[in-house]
Amino acid sequence: MGRRVALVLAGCGVFDGSEIHEASAALVHLSRGGAEVKIFAPNIEQRDVVNHLKGSPAEEKRNVLVESARLARGNIQDLAELKASEFDAVIFPGGFGVAKNLCSWAVDGKNCTVNEHVNSTLQAFHSAKKPIGLCCISPVLAAKVFPGCEVTVGQDKNIDGRFPDAETASAITELGCKHICKNVNESHVDKANKIVTTCAFMCKAPLHEIFDGIGTMVQEVLKLA
């Protein structure tokens, strides 16, 4: 029987929601792994809306759940309805929506607050000893909620200009967590906490390498489930 996996989205679009390629890659790898997937998102207003063509703020308001429904092809539920007891694992793709809508990292950094339903979801899976998969910027959620855990957002130095957000690793360390340096096509498994992370678009890399890295994360999550 396939593993039951919850996928949590943060909107639709890299600059104000979930990174579409990451969400799609996770879904493809979950499908290949025979998982049964249900998609969730918090029913809240986005922190902001970005015109992705111009890269500038747009004067409008959007709802995270409604926007996430675009990625879910309409088949989505309010995150408040997610019950950890009904799933074997949970996965969070990245994108700025994680740092804006699921928590306030984009504004407050390591002093951020985490959305109540995101926090309760993470706590519920962790307490049940069920694996949590995170990619791109979403490992900061684990770093904030589970002090002492191990995660990766890639490298802690901007090697060859490929890791422009390397300072995120330092912020994770300041939260009392251990940052593990990994390449884009790799993931890290914190066996004690059953947290699996990969850097995805935190690295400037060809799309297929990011896709493969997300694949290793999904595979490890399914192994732990």
Side-chain angles (χ1 to χ4, degrees):
M1 181 178 177
R3 300 303 187 202
R4 300 164 299 169
V5 180
L7 188 82
V8 181
L9 299 179
C12 182
V14 59
F15 298 126
D16 57 13
S18 288
E19 211 297 318
I20 294 171
H21 297 293
E22 291 178 13
S24 178
L27 288 166
V28 170
H29 287 296
L30 285 166
S31 176
R32 182 170 288 146
E36 177 188 339
V37 182
K38 289 190 177 180
I39 304 175
F40 297 84
N43 187 10
I44 57 174
E45 187 176 299
Q46 289 184 188
R47 177 175 288 275
D48 62 12
V49 177
V50 176
N51 180 321
H52 280 58
L53 179 62
K54 297 179 179 179
S56 58
E59 295 298 322
E60 59 180 286
K61 294 181 179 181
R62 296 191 182 186
N63 177 279
V64 174
L65 179 59
V66 172
E67 291 302 297
S68 298
R70 294 175 180 271
L71 276 170
R73 297 172 61 86
N75 189 8
I76 195 168
Q77 293 175 259
D78 187 336
L79 182 60
E81 299 173 5
L82 194 162
K83 296 180 175 62
S85 60
E86 296 178 355
F87 295 91
D88 301 302
V90 64
I91 289 178
F92 289 76
F96 279 101
V98 172
K100 292 179 176 181
N101 305 325
L102 303 192
C103 70
S104 62
W105 187 278
V107 176
D108 303 318
K110 63 181 175 35
N111 297 316
C112 71
T113 56
V114 178
N115 171 273
E116 61 174 319
H117 295 303
V118 172
N119 183 70
S120 62
T121 295
L122 289 168
Q123 294 282 10
F125 278 86
H126 188 259
S127 296
K129 301 188 185 308
K130 295 179 177 181
I132 298 167
L134 307 143
C135 67
C136 194
I137 191 62
S138 64
V140 302
L141 296 173
K144 187 67 180 181
V145 176
F146 307 118
C149 72
E150 299 177 355
V151 298
T152 188
V153 288
Q155 301 290 327
D156 55 11
K157 295 181 178 61
N158 189 10
I159 301 170
D160 298 327
R162 297 178 74 221
F163 295 90
D165 301 305
E167 71 276 1
T168 304
S170 298
I172 286 170
T173 301
E174 290 173 17
L175 284 170
C177 298
K178 185 174 182 179
H179 180 266
I180 309 297
C181 291
K182 290 285 184 178
N183 292 322
V184 67
N185 59 347
E186 301 176 312
S187 56
H188 176 70
V189 181
D190 178 348
K191 294 182 180 178
N193 290 293
K194 290 193 172 184
I195 296 172
V196 188
T197 50
T198 189
C199 69
F201 278 99
M202 295 292 276
C203 176
K204 291 185 176 180
L207 183 58
H208 71 277
E209 292 184 13
I210 293 167
F211 183 89
D212 291 345
I214 293 172
T216 67
M217 180 267 287
V218 169
Q219 289 166 17
E220 294 296 340
V221 166
L222 294 178
K223 285 180 187 176
L224 290 172

